[in-house]
Amino acid sequence: RDLTVCQLCLLPVVVVAVDKLVALCLYVIMQCRTLGIHNVLIFMFIVVEVNARLRLSHGHYGRVEVYYSGLWGTVCDDGWGIQDGNVTCRELGFERAVEVACCAKYGQGSGLILMDNVNCGGNESSLSSCSFNGWGKENCGHSEDAGVVCAVTIRLSHGYYGRVEIYFNGSWGTVCDDSWDIRDGNVICHELGFAGAEKVAGGAKYGQGSGSIVMDNLKCRGDESSLASCLFNGWGIHNCEHSEDAGVVCAVTIRLSHGYYGRVEIYFNGSWGTVCDDSWDIRDGNVICHELGFAGAEKVAGGAKYGQGSGSIVMDNLKCRGDESSLASCLFNGWGIHNCEHSEDAGVVCSESATVYVFPHNDTYSVLPIRLVEGTDVNSGRVEVFWEGRWGTVGDDGWDMDDANVVCKQLGYQQAASALHNAHFGEGIGQIWMDNVECSSNHTRLQDCTIDDWGKHSGGHNEDAGAICLGKATYPVRLVGGSSAHEGRVEIKYSGIWGTVCQDGWNLQAADVVCRQLGYNRAVSNGTGASFGQGDGLIWMHYVDCSGEEQRLQDCKFDAWAMGACDHSQDAGVVCSRPASVPVRLTSASTTPSLSYNGSISVYFNRMWGRICETSWDIHLANTVCLQLAFTNATMFGFMQLISSSGHESESFLIDTVRCSGYETKLGQCVNSSWDHNVCSDKLDYWVACASEAAPVALRLMGGGSTHSEGRLEIFFGGVWGTVCDDLFNLNSSTVACKQLGYTGGTYIRNKHSSFGAGSGPVWMDNVRCNGTESTLTSCRHLDWGVSDCSHDEDVGVVCTGKDPIGVRIVGTIGQGRVEIYYSRHWGSVCDSNWTLSNSHVVCRQLGFDRASGYRSNAAFGHGSGHIWMNNVQCQGDELSLQECQFDGWGVIGTCLHAQDVGVVCEGEALLPVRLVGGSYNSGRVEVFYGGMWGTICSDGWDIQNAHVVCQQLGFTNASAYSTNAHYGQSAVPILLTNVSCNSLHDQLGNCPMYAYDQFGSNQRGCHSVGIGTGVVCSGNAAKTTVRLVGGRSMSEGRVEVFYAGVWGTICKALWNNDDATVVCRQLGFSGGFGYLVKDQDEGVGTAWMKNVHCSGSESQIQDCTFSGWRISKCNLSNAVHVACNGTVSKQVRLVGGKHPNEGRVEVYYSGMWGTVCDDGWTEHDADVVCRQLGYKLVASIGSHAYNGQGSGHIWMSNVQCTGFEKHLYDCPFDGWGQAACRHAEDVGVVCAVDMQIVVRLQGSSYQNQGRVQVFYSNTWGSICDSK
């Protein structure tokens, strides 16, 4: 208080607005005045923060955040571009931006958005130096936060090894060795383009760096894409000195394209690249040959002598002294720095005295190996032969098509396309082993042809012979040396000789290909280092590179045959998953493979059929063979000496010493000692006879998604699903396949043009040629089963047309039993795996029942036979059919057996629509709609009472006759029901006792009639297709239902509009109408008959409009359409069948047609309303039980409950239009009092005394016919 000047020595204040600055000044003045000081002098030191701090949310990338006036905030992406990103990254110490991002790609920030509309020129030193709206001035949300990815540049001080250096804050810095290990080294080597790290080093082994230490405490997993993605302290945060600088040695992998000679290739940046021939000389060649283990280089070559490579050119201007330990240690421009084309690719020929590359001597082989090398494809190249432990060429003197044919056939091709001269595929090296070759058509091996002498020739390598072969050769593989058949050393048979595969490049993808080729599902592991023992002879394949999708090992990329620096200590192996799918067939003495019930046993393995070698043939093995072929069991089995007439003698022995325990269902599940060794001492032919019938040769479509009418075509043969090759497959073939599947026709799609994917397992059929009239695909001409030169990238697909032929049934009684589904024209069961009550509801509703009350597992309703079509079914519960639910795929059943067949128990009475086919309007073959499909009824037990129920359900009075034995022709649809037993109490076929037809069932469930197909002749007039409204508040509104096949059903609202509603209302007698939506409406009764209805609005009835077809709907019944009609409708009533006008059967007019009234609940009050509506004063009597004769057509009303005072019968409560649970034997009649007053009028004239005569009857004016 003693001060005369109020001094504020230091006032740290953050001010972001002028008004706050003014407020601060006023506050200071007021405080001084409270002290009695009125003269105030304020000194303000205003510090403007120009260079705001910056950070990224994820280190070297992420959301951009800026620190200004004590707060962190984000940057809006309006106008955000690469120049803004470059300035941001440079400010943070990085070299540049790799990419920029908008729209909060790296997550939404929080707090203030401090910058918007940033516009950098690119040369600014900081982001805040760029132009922008101003601090805090923005119109954005955090969903617009900007982001950036900064480039983190790294290098090694010595090229492929050395001190690790990182460019940061404008200069190169180092990495501290704290926590530095091989995982960190792998990441940096991968990032630099090398295959990985050989070793890491700390303690500044490669010299101390300078500048900053950029990273410390690196903790990489090893699979990161960059060093900056690993965990570490933070940029520039460390506690190290340069004496702790980290280092690494990266692996530089090199190879020659042809083993010991060829184009030099280096693995860099994830792919193989080449070396430019600038300055390339023998010293460079010596270094690379020494590095590969050879004694040295014989010669070097440039100008892409060994073919142009692909990918990047990795090295240029190499200058080796010749004594370096590796090519990477030589001087060169730098990784990837060059001015060359692939026409300058460098090559070398190394001395064959390599330490790791040794060929065996020729006495190992009875067939001399041959190969094609340096061709444009595997089927072309320079011809080389292996003699005296070395590969050599063949001179072109006398070389012709006969010689080339022998080469191609020995290599597995059909024949030669060309015999080429003058080193067409490049000059070979080393020996010229053969010249003046003379082969004939009888020769099968090149070594058997006439030549001058081994090694004698008259020319040089400029005369090397070549060949181009036709067709596709298949080279089988086998597993050797394992403890079981599904594991071992991989061997491939090329040029008629088994050889091994080198482990270089061998991985799980390649192992998968081998296992699939052998019939197994996949590989469990890939073995290296001769883990299954060392092979002998040639190492056929080296550097195998498979994607994993190939069908054969030979389809993978690899160095040329027998080209590679490997020895047998590096033989590759695999362990395959078990069990294998081993197809089986029975072959009769006529050599025709079949699925008949007996024959000699063949197995299919490695794309060939072969025999079983077995020393203790027993019932367990025989039963397993029969079960795999879908027979029930074996009845007889045995063996005999192999004779030429069996058609079996040409097959090799493929499987040895099989042991089955009796519980297996497939041969692949049994134990066997080995595959494909062709050694069997007994030379016996094993045969078996199986009981019952087998699963037919069925088809299926796979890979088509939820559309069951299209997909990859697969066929079931030998107990195994396989594919069909597209070679020669045409429109006739696809038509036959689709018809066999139950469709009307179809077309085909070659695999490369489809999205159905490649199949697996055998390619069962090839060169399929149909004329289009065959009933099954197997009736068409084709190669023998499994004989094919196709891979699965040639699997054919088909797109079928016509109605979906898939249905469901319950085998047992009509309401409970085993679930079976009809697919590919064959019934099959459903596995109980993951089966639920929701699945059961779908089945029961599809069969016309209300719902399911339960289900039964473990074949509670008996074992099925034939196919198991579905497994792991997962329904939501609201699907219209079982096939709409998710499941594994047709016939994809895993380990499921018929002991796991599922069954269901349904509730309610089944609604079974019926129709008459092949006759007139009142007669024909009876077909029933059951389980989503139309089918016939077996004639077993068919009688007049059954015929009565069918006719009454269709609205006829009854049946006048019935027929059996296909009187109205054989049907193309399947048998669905058998042993129907109706009586006089049944009014619907679904209420009668009956059985679902089972081909393999008991007498009650089978069909023993000679001709299949029941027929009826009905009397009276049928109930025509019409409509009604149900569930509305009045008779002018409600859910639309259609009467078809004796059953009412709904219309799906898909595409429904007011034009459609107008037609319905007009059909009901109204002037017009419109559709409306109803929430929480009840589900419609019965089935959904119509979908995709499209009316012009002028049609007289709904069935005249276009729609998808009866019962094609794929929508839930809760989606049924509703309409509200305009105007009034005629409420006519009439009396029919009486002796006088005042008596008769009561009929009402609705939906354009007359129908009767049921006598249930009928009283005098109801009759009074009828008589009064007709103009009579009162009722005299009531007649029930069709007293005035039975009507026909619809029974429109039931349980009428009038008070007696209503004006029209329509005004009384009743069950609903057409909802009567009655038959015409219950039609009601009345007798009205005769003192009826008839009112007449004259119409249509301008004069009162003339005109058309009209009478008023049933509350309606009508005219009088002039008859008589």
Side-chain angles (χ1 to χ4, degrees):
R1 289 183 181 272
D2 297 332
L3 295 176
T4 57
V5 177
C6 181
Q7 292 180 334
L8 293 164
C9 298
L10 179 62
L11 183 64
V13 178
V14 176
V15 179
V16 293
V18 175
D19 57 343
K20 291 185 179 180
L21 180 63
V22 173
L24 177 64
C25 292
L26 291 174
Y27 173 77
V28 172
I29 293 170
M30 292 300 297
Q31 290 298 314
C32 290
R33 286 181 177 178
T34 59
L35 298 176
I37 302 172
H38 298 282
N39 296 319
V40 181
L41 179 60
I42 301 175
F43 294 91
M44 289 195 174
F45 295 88
I46 300 175
V47 179
V48 180
E49 190 171 358
V50 177
N51 293 315
R53 281 187 285 163
L54 204 62
R55 70 182 180 189
L56 301 180
S57 60
H58 294 73
H60 70 290
Y61 72 97
R63 181 178 59 254
V64 180
E65 296 184 354
V66 61
Y67 186 82
Y68 179 75
S69 295
L71 299 171
W72 284 103
T74 62
V75 177
C76 181
D77 61 13
D78 292 348
W80 186 253
I82 192 66
Q83 298 289 16
D84 311 317
N86 280 331
V87 172
T88 299
C89 291
R90 278 201 305 274
E91 183 177 353
L92 289 169
F94 300 103
E95 186 178 8
R96 57 186 173 82
V98 177
E99 65 177 65
V100 292
C102 70
C103 314
K105 178 179 179 179
Y106 301 108
Q108 296 187 23
S110 59
L112 296 173
I113 300 174
L114 290 174
M115 302 179 78
D116 190 14
N117 286 313
V118 177
N119 185 14
C120 299
N123 297 319
E124 294 85 351
S125 59
S126 66
L127 192 66
S128 59
S129 301
C130 302
S131 65
F132 63 102
N133 288 356
W135 295 108
K137 295 182 179 180
E138 45 81 22
N139 60 350
C140 305
H142 281 296
S143 61
E144 301 172 77
D145 285 345
V148 68
V149 178
C150 297
V152 179
T153 308
I154 59 175
R155 70 183 182 186
L156 301 180
S157 59
H158 294 72
Y160 71 100
Y161 73 97
R163 182 179 58 255
V164 181
E165 297 185 348
I166 300 177
Y167 188 83
F168 185 73
N169 269 340
S171 62
W172 289 98
T174 62
V175 175
C176 181
D177 62 8
D178 293 346
S179 302
W180 182 253
D181 62 20
I182 193 67
R183 292 172 295 184
D184 310 319
N186 276 328
V187 171
I188 194 171
C189 289
H190 290 152
E191 186 174 357
L192 289 170
F194 299 102
E198 288 187 354
K199 59 182 178 179
V200 293
K205 177 174 181 176
Y206 302 106
Q208 294 187 23
S210 59
S212 60
I213 298 175
V214 179
M215 303 177 85
D216 188 16
N217 281 315
L218 265 161
K219 295 176 182 176
C220 301
R221 297 186 308 272
D223 58 356
E224 293 87 351
S225 60
S226 66
L227 203 64
S229 301
C230 301
L231 294 175
F232 63 101
N233 287 356
W235 297 103
I237 302 173
H238 67 91
N239 60 350
C240 305
E241 302 293 335
H242 280 299
S243 60
E244 301 171 75
D245 285 344
V248 66
V249 177
C250 296
V252 179
T253 307
I254 60 174
R255 69 180 184 186
L256 302 180
S257 60
H258 294 72
Y260 68 95
Y261 74 97
R263 181 178 59 252
V264 180
E265 295 186 349
I266 300 177
Y267 190 83
F268 184 74
N269 267 343
S271 61
W272 289 98
T274 62
V275 175
C276 181
D277 62 7
D278 293 348
S279 304
W280 183 251
D281 61 21
I282 194 67
R283 292 172 294 179
D284 308 319
N286 275 326
V287 171
I288 194 171
C289 290
H290 291 152
E291 186 174 357
L292 289 171
F294 296 96
E298 289 187 359
K299 60 181 178 180
V300 293
K305 176 181 175 69
Y306 301 108
Q308 293 188 25
S310 58
S312 60
I313 297 174
V314 179
M315 304 177 84
D316 189 18
N317 283 314
L318 264 161
K319 296 176 182 177
C320 301
R321 297 185 307 273
D323 58 355
E324 293 88 349
S325 60
S326 67
L327 200 65
S329 302
C330 301
L331 294 175
F332 62 102
N333 286 358
W335 298 104
I337 301 173
H338 67 91
N339 61 349
C340 305
E341 303 292 335
H342 280 297
S343 59
E344 301 171 74
D345 285 343
V348 66
V349 179
C350 296
S351 169
E352 284 194 76
S353 56
T355 58
V356 295
Y357 189 67
V358 180
F359 287 126
H361 194 270
N362 273 70
D363 55 14
T364 307
Y365 306 106
S366 60
V367 178
L368 291 183
I370 61 173
R371 68 182 182 186
L372 300 178
V373 296
E374 295 201 28
T376 56
D377 205 343
V378 292
N379 65 331
S380 64
R382 181 175 63 250
V383 180
E384 294 190 355
V385 61
F386 191 72
W387 174 254
E388 294 293 339
R390 294 168 63 93
W391 288 100
T393 61
V394 177
D396 63 8
D397 293 341
W399 186 253
D400 59 19
M401 283 296 292
D402 287 337
D403 309 324
N405 272 330
V406 172
V407 168
C408 290
K409 289 179 179 179
Q410 184 174 341
L411 291 174
Y413 295 97
Q414 296 172 2
Q415 63 186 60
S418 300
L420 300 167
H421 303 76
N422 300 321
H424 181 85
F425 294 105
E427 295 182 17
I429 60 173
Q431 294 289 332
I432 301 174
W433 282 128
M434 305 176 77
D435 198 13
N436 286 309
V437 178
E438 293 183 17
C439 300
S440 71
S441 59
N442 296 324
H443 289 127
T444 58
R445 304 179 302 181
L446 187 63
Q447 69 195 70
D448 298 331
C449 302
T450 302
I451 61 172
D452 286 346
D453 197 2
W454 289 99
K456 184 177 180 181
H457 58 89
S458 59
H461 282 296
N462 61 332
E463 299 178 47
D464 285 342
I468 300 176
C469 302
L470 283 177
K472 297 178 182 178
T474 297
Y475 304 123
V477 294
R478 69 181 182 186
L479 303 181
V480 180
S483 58
S484 63
H486 67 283
E487 64 180 18
R489 180 177 63 253
V490 178
E491 296 191 354
I492 187 166
K493 193 175 186 180
Y494 177 76
S495 185
I497 298 167
W498 287 103
T500 62
V501 177
C502 180
Q503 70 181 22
D504 289 349
W506 189 253
N507 56 24
L508 196 59
Q509 286 81 7
D512 270 338
V513 174
V514 169
C515 291
R516 278 202 310 274
Q517 184 173 346
L518 290 171
Y520 298 96
N521 294 327
R522 59 183 179 83
V524 176
S525 64
N526 57 301
T528 57
S531 53
F532 294 102
Q534 295 188 24
D536 53 20
L538 290 169
I539 301 174
W540 275 129
M541 301 180 80
H542 183 242
Y543 275 109
V544 177
D545 181 15
C546 301
S547 68
E549 301 299 321
E550 297 86 356
Q551 302 305 314
R552 300 169 296 190
L553 188 62
Q554 70 191 71
D555 299 332
C556 301
K557 297 177 182 178
F558 63 99
D559 288 348
W561 295 103
M563 291 284 193
C566 254
D567 65 15
H568 283 297
S569 66
Q570 298 169 278
D571 285 343
V574 300
V575 177
C576 300
S577 62
R578 54 181 309 177
S581 297
V582 183
V584 179
R585 71 180 180 186
L586 302 181
T587 308
S588 64
S590 65
T591 73
T592 302
S594 68
L595 284 177
S596 61
Y597 71 95
N598 66 69
S600 298
I601 299 171
S602 296
V603 295
Y604 187 80
F605 181 76
N606 206 359
R607 289 181 171 248
M608 64 180 71
W609 288 101
R611 290 171 278 159
I612 295 176
C613 180
E614 172 55 54
T615 55
S616 58
W617 180 234
D618 61 14
I619 188 62
H620 295 315
L621 200 157
N623 277 335
T624 301
V625 170
C626 291
L627 284 171
Q628 178 165 339
L629 294 174
F631 296 101
T632 54
N633 60 279
T635 57
M636 292 186 294
F637 65 95
F639 56 85
M640 58 186 175
Q641 286 295 321
L642 193 63
I643 56 176
S644 59
S645 61
S646 68
H648 217 191
E649 77 287 345
S650 62
E651 294 180 349
S652 301
F653 288 102
L654 288 182
I655 186 170
D656 186 25
T657 318
V658 186
R659 295 289 182 270
C660 300
S661 64
Y663 297 98
E664 300 87 353
T665 58
K666 293 184 181 296
L667 195 63
Q669 296 166 353
C670 301
V671 177
N672 64 285
S673 63
S674 61
W675 285 98
D676 199 26
H677 278 204
N678 279 312
V679 178
C680 190
S681 59
D682 59 18
K683 303 296 182 183
L684 298 176
D685 199 6
Y686 292 90
W687 61 268
V688 66
C690 302
S692 187
E693 297 185 50
V697 182
L699 306 179
R700 70 180 180 186
L701 301 180
M702 301 294 285
S706 59
T707 304
H708 299 293
S709 60
E710 62 181 48
R712 182 178 62 253
L713 182 62
E714 297 193 355
I715 187 165
F716 187 80
F717 181 78
V720 174
W721 287 100
T723 61
V724 179
C725 181
D726 60 16
D727 291 350
L728 303 183
F729 202 91
N730 58 22
L731 190 60
N732 287 337
S733 304
S734 60
T735 298
V736 172
C738 288
K739 286 184 177 179
Q740 183 175 345
L741 285 163
Y743 297 93
T744 56
T747 187
Y748 68 98
I749 302 178
R750 301 195 184 278
N751 184 283
K752 63 182 179 180
H753 300 302
S754 80
S755 59
F756 304 140
S760 59
V763 179
W764 273 139
M765 301 182 75
D766 192 7
N767 290 341
V768 178
R769 288 158 290 173
C770 304
N771 58 36
T773 60
E774 297 88 349
S775 59
T776 64
L777 196 66
T778 55
S779 302
C780 303
R781 290 177 295 167
H782 61 93
L783 300 179
D784 191 12
W785 292 99
V787 176
S788 172
D789 60 355
C790 300
S791 60
H792 283 297
D793 57 6
E794 299 172 81
D795 290 340
V796 75
V798 298
V799 177
C800 299
T801 56
K803 296 181 180 179
D804 194 345
I806 304 169
V808 72
R809 71 180 181 186
I810 296 176
V811 177
T813 63
I814 197 65
Q816 61 180 13
R818 181 177 65 252
V819 179
E820 294 196 350
I821 194 158
Y822 188 78
Y823 179 76
S824 187
R825 291 196 172 182
H826 302 293
W827 288 103
S829 58
V830 178
C831 185
D832 61 13
S833 297
N834 298 316
W835 189 264
T836 65
L837 191 62
S838 295
N839 301 348
S840 307
H841 286 325
V842 173
V843 171
C844 291
R845 280 200 299 270
Q846 188 175 351
L847 292 170
F849 294 95
D850 296 335
R851 61 192 304 274
S853 61
Y855 63 90
R856 305 288 185 269
S857 302
N858 300 321
F861 295 104
H863 290 204
S865 58
H867 293 286
I868 300 174
W869 276 131
M870 302 178 81
N871 186 29
N872 285 320
V873 181
Q874 298 178 34
C875 302
Q876 298 295 321
D878 57 357
E879 294 88 351
L880 286 176
S881 62
L882 193 63
Q883 63 265 27
E884 293 178 32
C885 304
Q886 293 183 358
F887 61 101
D888 287 349
W890 297 111
V892 181
I893 60 173
T895 60
C896 205
L897 307 174
H898 280 298
Q900 296 167 263
D901 288 344
V902 76
V904 298
V905 179
C906 300
E907 286 184 354
E909 295 180 343
L911 289 172
L912 297 180
V914 294
R915 67 184 181 186
L916 303 181
V917 180
S920 62
Y921 80 99
N922 67 334
S923 64
R925 180 177 62 253
V926 179
E927 292 189 355
V928 60
F929 192 82
Y930 176 67
M933 62 191 308
W934 287 101
T936 59
I937 300 174
C938 176
S939 300
D940 290 0
W942 190 254
D943 59 19
I944 190 64
Q945 193 57 56
N946 298 331
H948 282 325
V949 173
V950 169
C951 291
Q952 289 166 8
Q953 180 173 338
L954 290 172
F956 294 97
T957 306
N958 52 35
S960 59
Y962 74 97
S963 62
T964 59
N965 298 331
H967 178 76
Y968 292 99
Q970 295 280 1
S971 176
V973 296
I975 307 170
L976 295 181
L977 302 173
T978 186
N979 281 296
V980 179
S981 181
C982 301
N983 60 41
S984 60
L985 300 177
H986 297 123
D987 59 350
Q988 290 272 339
L989 191 65
N991 300 338
C992 303
M994 67 185 76
Y995 291 95
Y997 169 69
D998 181 6
Q999 180 181 359
F1000 305 109
S1002 63
N1003 289 336
Q1004 286 183 311
R1005 298 175 183 174
C1007 188
H1008 307 284
S1009 302
V1010 176
I1012 298 172
T1014 58
V1016 297
V1017 179
C1018 300
S1019 59
N1021 295 315
K1024 298 178 181 179
T1025 300
T1026 188
V1027 294
R1028 69 180 181 188
L1029 301 181
V1030 177
R1033 292 169 296 181
S1034 68
M1035 65 177 296
S1036 63
E1037 65 178 45
R1039 181 179 62 250
V1040 181
E1041 294 192 352
V1042 185
F1043 187 81
Y1044 178 76
V1047 174
W1048 288 99
T1050 59
I1051 301 175
C1052 181
K1053 66 184 178 184
L1055 305 182
W1056 187 261
N1057 59 31
N1058 283 340
D1059 288 336
D1060 312 321
T1062 297
V1063 173
V1064 168
C1065 291
R1066 187 183 302 117
Q1067 186 171 350
L1068 290 168
F1070 294 96
S1071 57
F1074 57 91
Y1076 68 96
L1077 297 176
V1078 176
K1079 295 182 179 179
D1080 302 322
Q1081 71 259 30
D1082 294 331
E1083 290 190 354
V1085 177
T1087 187
W1089 271 134
M1090 302 175 78
K1091 183 185 179 183
N1092 294 328
V1093 178
H1094 178 68
C1095 303
S1096 66
S1098 62
E1099 296 86 353
S1100 60
Q1101 50 189 3
I1102 195 68
Q1103 58 266 35
D1104 295 336
C1105 304
T1106 60
F1107 60 100
S1108 298
W1110 298 109
R1111 193 56 171 91
I1112 303 299
S1113 62
K1114 294 292 183 184
C1115 63
N1116 295 323
L1117 298 180
S1118 58
N1119 290 326
V1121 301
H1122 290 64
V1123 300
C1125 298
N1126 301 324
T1128 59
V1129 66
S1130 174
K1131 301 178 180 180
Q1132 298 180 59
V1133 179
R1134 71 181 181 183
L1135 302 180
V1136 180
K1139 297 179 181 179
H1140 304 286
N1142 63 320
E1143 64 181 57
R1145 182 176 62 254
V1146 179
E1147 294 190 354
V1148 295
Y1149 190 78
Y1150 180 76
S1151 188
M1153 58 186 66
W1154 289 98
T1156 62
V1157 178
C1158 179
D1159 61 13
D1160 289 354
W1162 188 260
T1163 67
E1164 288 188 358
H1165 295 306
D1166 309 318
D1168 276 340
V1169 174
V1170 170
C1171 290
R1172 201 164 45 251
Q1173 183 175 346
L1174 291 171
Y1176 299 98
K1177 290 185 177 180
L1178 49 84
V1179 65
S1181 64
I1182 300 172
S1184 60
H1185 299 295
Y1187 177 80
N1188 298 106
Q1190 293 187 26
S1192 60
H1194 292 285
I1195 302 175
W1196 277 132
M1197 303 177 78
S1198 178
N1199 284 313
V1200 180
Q1201 300 176 27
C1202 300
T1203 64
F1205 298 100
E1206 292 85 357
K1207 185 177 181 181
H1208 304 97
L1209 187 63
Y1210 292 55
D1211 300 331
C1212 303
F1214 63 101
D1215 285 347
W1217 296 106
Q1219 297 188 41
C1222 303
R1223 290 173 293 174
H1224 282 294
E1226 301 171 75
D1227 289 343
V1228 76
V1230 300
V1231 178
C1232 299
V1234 295
D1235 57 344
M1236 173 183 177
Q1237 182 179 1
I1238 299 178
V1239 181
V1240 298
R1241 69 181 181 184
L1242 300 178
Q1243 285 288 105
S1245 174
S1246 58
Y1247 298 98
Q1248 294 182 352
N1249 63 338
Q1250 61 182 353
R1252 182 174 66 257
V1253 179
Q1254 288 190 334
V1255 297
F1256 189 77
Y1257 177 76
S1258 184
N1259 281 298
T1260 303
W1261 287 100
S1263 59
I1264 300 173
C1265 181
D1266 63 5
S1267 299
K1268 300 183 180 179

